[in-house]
Amino acid sequence: MAEPRDDQWIYRRTEVKTAGLNFADDLNPVTREETPNGWKPFTAPVKGENWVKYGTGERRTRTLGTVHADADTASWPSPKEQKRLLAKLPEDPPALLRALRAVIPIDDELQGSKDNADYRRVVLALSTVDFIPPRARAAMFRTLKTIPGVRMSDRPVTDLLGRPALVVSRTDGASDEVANLREEMLIDPETFAYRGKRNVYLAGGKIDGVPIEEDRVVSGEALVRTEVRDQAPSPSAPEPGSETGSPERAPAG
């Protein structure tokens, strides 16, 4: 995309699908009552939309037909500032990870370990920042290789929209033991652009009390489209009957 003006908005549309499972017991999820015929790969997709003002970081999200203004954005740099900070990232992995804390302000303690916090910052940068300078993107992928437990598939899988994608993930024994789930980032195999993410229920767990022998994808999110728009809907605006989009939008470039 062409770089937006400060008063323009970055619009993202996503689709989310989940399996018909109840995870009240993470280690033994059960089929929901509304899916009596057994485990189903996915439910109907749920559309997600959000807008972020390029110059200020003001955020709006449409949930269940209502647009909400996100008030908890003060600690996050605006997209314009994120781009500026990423352009200054050093290429040395340890220095890059330290510098990335100014771009992705998450609490190390909430991530369980320093390695996991480092991994989460890189993944959040790659998945949420729309204007990453090519040099910084390459440096972040090289840095991922230095974090213990990180791996990238060499064979593409298929995302929720049927597009090929490579899988980036990190093995975290503590998390796997508690929930038996692994979150994976999906990237375009040619451009390495962010495609979405998915959650995988790991082999060895049980579904409806029956042990499973292979990993199963139980939820996923696909980034459908990103655009630059001149306007965002006002908070509490009703959902329009047509596809959510305002006619006042700039070409993506």
Side-chain angles (χ1 to χ4, degrees), residues 178-220:
V178 171
N180 202 47
L181 288 169
R182 180 177 63 241
E183 183 176 281
E184 300 178 339
M185 177 174 67
L186 305 178
I187 58 174
D188 185 293
E190 295 184 0
T191 67
F192 283 61
Y194 177 71
R195 285 286 200 209
K197 59 184 178 181
R198 65 183 191 175
N199 282 305
V200 177
Y201 190 65
L202 304 176
K206 296 180 179 180
I207 295 179
D208 291 330
V210 179
I212 62 169
E213 299 180 356
E214 296 181 353
D215 294 350
R216 291 190 181 179
V217 178
V218 293
S219 65

Side-chain angles (χ1 to χ4, degrees), residues 81-175:
E81 178 66 2
Q82 286 177 331
K83 179 184 178 184
R84 186 187 71 83
L85 292 170
L86 288 176
K88 297 168 59 177
L89 285 180
E91 297 193 23
D92 174 64
L96 183 150
L97 291 172
R98 288 193 298 271
L100 199 56
R101 294 176 181 176
V103 189
I104 308 295
I106 61 174
D107 190 329
D108 283 21
E109 292 185 4
L110 296 179
Q111 304 307 312
S113 68
K114 180 181 180 302
D115 288 339
N116 204 48
D118 287 340
Y119 172 70
R120 292 293 300 161
R121 283 195 184 89
V122 177
V123 166
L124 281 170
L126 293 170
S127 62
T128 64
V129 181
D130 293 292
F131 296 89
I132 303 177
R135 182 195 61 79
R137 183 185 297 275
M140 282 192 281
F141 274 108
R142 288 195 297 269
T143 297
L144 276 176
K145 295 172 61 177
T146 71
I147 300 174
V150 174
R151 63 179 183 177
M152 182 185 297
S153 65
D154 55 2
R155 295 182 180 179
V157 299
T158 301
D159 76 353
L160 294 185
L161 301 181
R163 304 171 300 189
L166 297 178
V167 174
V168 178
S169 63
R170 179 176 184 272
T171 300
D172 186 331
S175 175

